[in-house]
Amino acid sequence: MKEFYMESHGKGKIACHVWEPEGQPRGVVQLVHGIAEYVQRYDHLARFLNSKGYVVVGEDHMGHGGSISTETPQGCFCGGWLAAVDDTYALMEKTRGEYPQLPYFIYGHSMGSFMTRTLLYRYPEAGLSAAILCGTGWQPGIVLKVGRLLCRLEAKKHGRQSVSPLIGQLMFCGYNKHFTPHRTDYDWISSDAREVDKYCADPLAGFDASIGLAEDMLGGMQMNENPKNLAKMPKALPVLFISGDCDPVGGMGKGVKKTAAAFRKAGMEQVTVKLYPGGRHEIHNETNRDEVFADAVKFFDSHCPSFRRKEEAKVR
């Protein structure tokens, strides 16, 4: 794996990572990670994609992983939601310039899925071949509006870069109630206890988001659910929604299905949903991760022109 840095559209520098396959690559997959984590947590997925011929890239968002600095403290988006999305797009532009002939895919998880949804209508001409949205969801407009108001009130008291226990409880603490009795505060992440323990022990994961980041994310979700923005997405883009049917972020599957329905209503022509029985939030870190990885590759392969030609030749 290689690492390099790019200037952020907010503040500071963004840590970027590249995993390269052996031999001639068939495509590029960009990973967009979630809140309170970092892209190297996807190393196992990246290496699996490498083994199937894909170049894999990803960046640590502002205030996350290798992008934490004095300018961008842990858990902060300095510059807001769109600046973070623009950082993701900047890596896409750079990578597409290095592999102009290869199909380009994106895999966004959790907050990264919401960022990817913003990217789809902010940059509809990005030239993506397909997208996977993992662990995404849908919230009622009133919930998002009230949540942002509370964030603003807490920011006035404590500052946008501070942490608010109230905001943290409202946003995340309800997730574990579905898994009582629970062993840790993060049982909702995965049913694989080893993965949960790794998450709990990682100083770069599971931290409290700042008040400002919480408001930024809620604002991003509001924008994503706006029909005018949904209508801007590239209609022919194939989109696969994947989630565990026990993921509280996705409303135990209901929010995932509602998002997919909103995509279809907006005119998206190729929308597919797959819910994994018993799967929790990080489906790529679940006990059935091998099945999830295989499904992701199958989806990407089906939109690789070179792969399709080979499969068609076998049939002939």
Side-chain angles (χ1 to χ4, degrees), residues 10 20 48 66 75 130 138 163 176 182 198 207 215 230 310:
E20 295 178 325
F48 180 84
W138 188 278
V163 170
N176 242 11
H182 50 261
K198 284 197 296 183
F207 54 81
E215 184 186 353
L230 286 162
K310 289 181 181 178

Short mmCIF file of all heavy atoms in Angstrom, two decimals, residues 10 20 48 66 75 130 138 163 176 182 198 207 215 230 310:
data_model
loop_
_atom_site.label_atom_id
_atom_site.label_comp_id
_atom_site.label_asym_id
_atom_site.label_seq_id
_atom_site.Cartn_x
_atom_site.Cartn_y
_atom_site.Cartn_z
N GLY A 10 -11.05 21.91 2.90
CA GLY A 10 -11.35 22.57 4.16
C GLY A 10 -10.09 23.15 4.73
O GLY A 10 -9.65 24.24 4.36
N GLU A 20 -2.45 -1.55 -4.88
CA GLU A 20 -2.32 -1.92 -6.29
C GLU A 20 -2.28 -3.43 -6.47
O GLU A 20 -1.61 -4.14 -5.71
CB GLU A 20 -1.05 -1.30 -6.89
CG GLU A 20 -1.09 0.23 -6.91
CD GLU A 20 0.20 0.82 -7.46
OE1 GLU A 20 1.27 0.23 -7.18
OE2 GLU A 20 0.14 1.86 -8.13
N PHE A 48 -8.63 -7.97 -0.98
CA PHE A 48 -9.48 -8.91 -1.72
C PHE A 48 -9.76 -8.36 -3.11
O PHE A 48 -9.67 -9.09 -4.11
CB PHE A 48 -10.78 -9.15 -0.97
CG PHE A 48 -11.70 -10.12 -1.66
CD1 PHE A 48 -11.55 -11.48 -1.49
CD2 PHE A 48 -12.71 -9.66 -2.50
CE1 PHE A 48 -12.39 -12.38 -2.15
CE2 PHE A 48 -13.55 -10.54 -3.16
CZ PHE A 48 -13.40 -11.90 -2.98
N GLY A 66 -5.21 9.40 9.31
CA GLY A 66 -4.00 10.14 9.01
C GLY A 66 -4.22 11.59 8.68
O GLY A 66 -3.25 12.34 8.46
N GLY A 75 -12.31 14.18 14.73
CA GLY A 75 -13.76 14.29 14.76
C GLY A 75 -14.32 15.59 14.23
O GLY A 75 -15.49 15.88 14.46
N ALA A 130 -20.28 2.44 -11.67
CA ALA A 130 -21.28 1.87 -10.77
C ALA A 130 -20.91 2.28 -9.35
O ALA A 130 -19.78 2.68 -9.08
CB ALA A 130 -21.33 0.34 -10.89
N TRP A 138 -32.20 6.43 5.95
CA TRP A 138 -33.11 7.53 5.64
C TRP A 138 -33.73 8.00 6.95
O TRP A 138 -34.19 7.19 7.76
CB TRP A 138 -34.20 7.06 4.69
CG TRP A 138 -35.07 8.16 4.15
CD1 TRP A 138 -36.16 8.74 4.76
CD2 TRP A 138 -34.95 8.80 2.88
NE1 TRP A 138 -36.70 9.70 3.96
CE2 TRP A 138 -35.98 9.76 2.78
CE3 TRP A 138 -34.06 8.66 1.81
CZ2 TRP A 138 -36.14 10.58 1.67
CZ3 TRP A 138 -34.23 9.46 0.70
CH2 TRP A 138 -35.26 10.41 0.62
N VAL A 163 -17.20 18.37 21.98
CA VAL A 163 -18.05 17.18 21.98
C VAL A 163 -19.22 17.41 22.92
O VAL A 163 -19.06 17.97 24.01
CB VAL A 163 -17.24 15.94 22.42
CG1 VAL A 163 -18.15 14.75 22.66
CG2 VAL A 163 -16.18 15.60 21.37
N ASN A 176 -27.56 0.49 20.20
CA ASN A 176 -27.30 -0.75 20.92
C ASN A 176 -28.54 -1.34 21.58
O ASN A 176 -28.53 -2.49 22.01
CB ASN A 176 -26.23 -0.51 22.00
CG ASN A 176 -24.98 -1.34 21.76
OD1 ASN A 176 -24.81 -1.95 20.71
ND2 ASN A 176 -24.10 -1.37 22.74
N HIS A 182 -26.14 -6.31 25.89
CA HIS A 182 -24.97 -6.14 25.04
C HIS A 182 -23.68 -6.22 25.86
O HIS A 182 -23.66 -5.90 27.05
CB HIS A 182 -25.05 -4.82 24.27
CG HIS A 182 -25.35 -3.62 25.11
ND1 HIS A 182 -26.62 -3.09 25.22
CD2 HIS A 182 -24.56 -2.87 25.89
CE1 HIS A 182 -26.60 -2.06 26.01
NE2 HIS A 182 -25.36 -1.89 26.45
N LYS A 198 -11.75 -5.22 18.30
CA LYS A 198 -10.73 -4.45 17.58
C LYS A 198 -11.15 -3.00 17.47
O LYS A 198 -10.33 -2.09 17.63
CB LYS A 198 -10.48 -5.05 16.18
CG LYS A 198 -9.66 -6.31 16.18
CD LYS A 198 -9.10 -6.65 14.80
CE LYS A 198 -10.17 -6.94 13.80
NZ LYS A 198 -9.61 -7.35 12.47
N PHE A 207 -14.39 7.24 18.29
CA PHE A 207 -14.31 8.47 19.07
C PHE A 207 -15.61 9.28 18.91
O PHE A 207 -16.41 9.04 18.01
CB PHE A 207 -13.10 9.30 18.64
CG PHE A 207 -13.04 9.61 17.16
CD1 PHE A 207 -13.78 10.65 16.61
CD2 PHE A 207 -12.24 8.86 16.31
CE1 PHE A 207 -13.73 10.94 15.26
CE2 PHE A 207 -12.18 9.14 14.95
CZ PHE A 207 -12.93 10.18 14.43
N GLU A 215 -23.57 18.27 13.08
CA GLU A 215 -24.46 19.16 12.32
C GLU A 215 -24.19 19.05 10.83
O GLU A 215 -25.12 19.04 10.01
CB GLU A 215 -24.30 20.61 12.76
CG GLU A 215 -25.28 21.52 12.04
CD GLU A 215 -25.07 23.00 12.32
OE1 GLU A 215 -24.24 23.34 13.18
OE2 GLU A 215 -25.74 23.80 11.64
N LEU A 230 -31.84 14.73 -5.61
CA LEU A 230 -31.96 13.36 -6.11
C LEU A 230 -32.13 13.34 -7.63
O LEU A 230 -31.58 12.47 -8.32
CB LEU A 230 -33.15 12.67 -5.45
CG LEU A 230 -32.96 12.25 -3.98
CD1 LEU A 230 -34.30 11.99 -3.32
CD2 LEU A 230 -32.07 11.02 -3.89
N LYS A 310 -15.09 -11.23 -21.85
CA LYS A 310 -14.54 -12.55 -21.58
C LYS A 310 -15.64 -13.55 -21.27
O LYS A 310 -15.63 -14.69 -21.72
CB LYS A 310 -13.54 -12.48 -20.42
CG LYS A 310 -12.23 -11.78 -20.76
CD LYS A 310 -11.29 -11.79 -19.56
CE LYS A 310 -9.99 -11.07 -19.88
NZ LYS A 310 -9.09 -11.02 -18.70
#
